[in-house]
Amino acid sequence: MSFLKKLTETVSKGVSTATEKAQQTVEITKLHTQISGKRKDIERRFAQIGEAVFEAYLKKDLSLAEGMVIPECEAIAGIRKEIAGLEDRIRELRNEKECECGQTVPYDTKFCPSCGRKFPEPVPVPVEVLPQEENEAKEEEPQSVVVDVEVKRVCEGCGTVLQPEVRFCPDCGRPAEN
Ligand SMILES: [Zn+2]
Ligand SMILES: [Zn+2]
């Protein structure tokens, strides 16, 4: 393959990745906007509930507020669910998921590094496989030899390199040694 062709391919690949990233950022921004709109809606409803309760208080009968307060509370509960769904979508776009303990971890993590909880097996996402046109494009990459002099914590169970803040191996769930 000519040098020029190779260069063009490399460039176009780079652009498509950058475009994807940009689209992802745009979508995440949109989701954040939707979330803050919904939060404002909730605040508005809270204020209305407060007013209704106060009016009822003035009339010395709090039950007068009930007819308004209950549907408003139900609406708020529904909006909160919508917000949770949007937050899930953001994590998905960022390729992350959230543990029940609140820790955000990469999507393919098997065990929470903070609390050790096992995640359900991730549902495989269908990946678009591009046909390999030219095998010659697969050039031998120079073997990069990683010389790491740092002493790293490694899981005794499976050998996974553990990050310093990790308390459980993210790959097998074994408690990490200190
Ligand atoms: Zn956790
Ligand atoms: Zn392990």
Side-chain angles (χ1 to χ4, degrees):
M1 173 181 357
S2 73
F3 170 72
L4 192 64
K5 192 173 174 213
K6 207 161 100 186
L7 189 70
T8 317
E9 267 190 11
T10 312
V11 169
S12 67
K13 259 182 207 161
V15 168
S16 89
T17 313
T19 312
E20 261 170 42
K21 276 247 169 67
Q23 281 168 348
Q24 208 182 67
T25 311
V26 168
E27 187 160 1
I28 289 173
T29 309
K30 266 191 211 157
L31 290 164
H32 276 302
T33 310
Q34 282 182 44
I35 289 172
S36 63
K38 285 181 192 295
R39 290 216 170 109
K40 276 190 194 121
D41 191 11
I42 288 179
E43 272 168 38
R44 224 171 17 240
R45 287 170 191 274
F46 275 145
Q48 278 168 3
I49 290 170
E51 256 182 62
V53 171
F54 186 68
E55 294 277 325
Y57 157 82
L58 290 178
K59 290 174 185 153
K60 297 188 186 337
D61 183 4
L62 284 184
S63 70
L64 291 172
E66 231 172 72
M68 184 267 183
V69 167
I70 290 171
E72 283 298 312
C73 286
E74 278 165 359
I76 289 170
I79 297 166
R80 282 192 169 176
K81 262 188 208 151
E82 288 170 26
I83 290 175
L86 294 170
E87 283 172 341
D88 270 352
R89 176 84 187 111
I90 289 174
R91 276 193 286 274
E92 203 179 291
L93 283 168
R94 287 189 174 143
N95 218 12
E96 291 172 347
K97 61 184 171 187
E98 192 182 24
C99 178
E100 278 170 15
C101 74
Q103 178 82 19
T104 299
V105 297
Y107 189 74
D108 57 357
T109 306
K110 293 180 203 146
F111 292 87
C112 175
S114 183
C115 74
R117 177 179 167 268
K118 190 180 194 302
F119 290 106
E121 287 295 312
V123 184
V125 182
V127 179
E128 210 181 303
V129 180
L130 298 170
Q132 281 222 334
E133 284 173 17
E134 288 172 81
N135 281 334
E136 69 168 301
K138 235 187 174 183
E139 298 208 349
E140 273 181 44
E141 300 227 347
Q143 283 279 328
S144 58
V145 181
V146 182
V147 183
D148 211 335
V149 286
E150 250 181 273
V151 180
K152 282 185 172 160
R153 270 203 317 164
V154 169
C155 173
E156 288 192 349
C158 69
T160 299
V161 177
L162 303 173
Q163 297 302 312
E165 72 278 7
V166 150
R167 279 182 279 166
F168 293 88
C169 172
D171 212 44
C172 77
R174 191 188 167 103
E177 304 282 319
N178 281 314

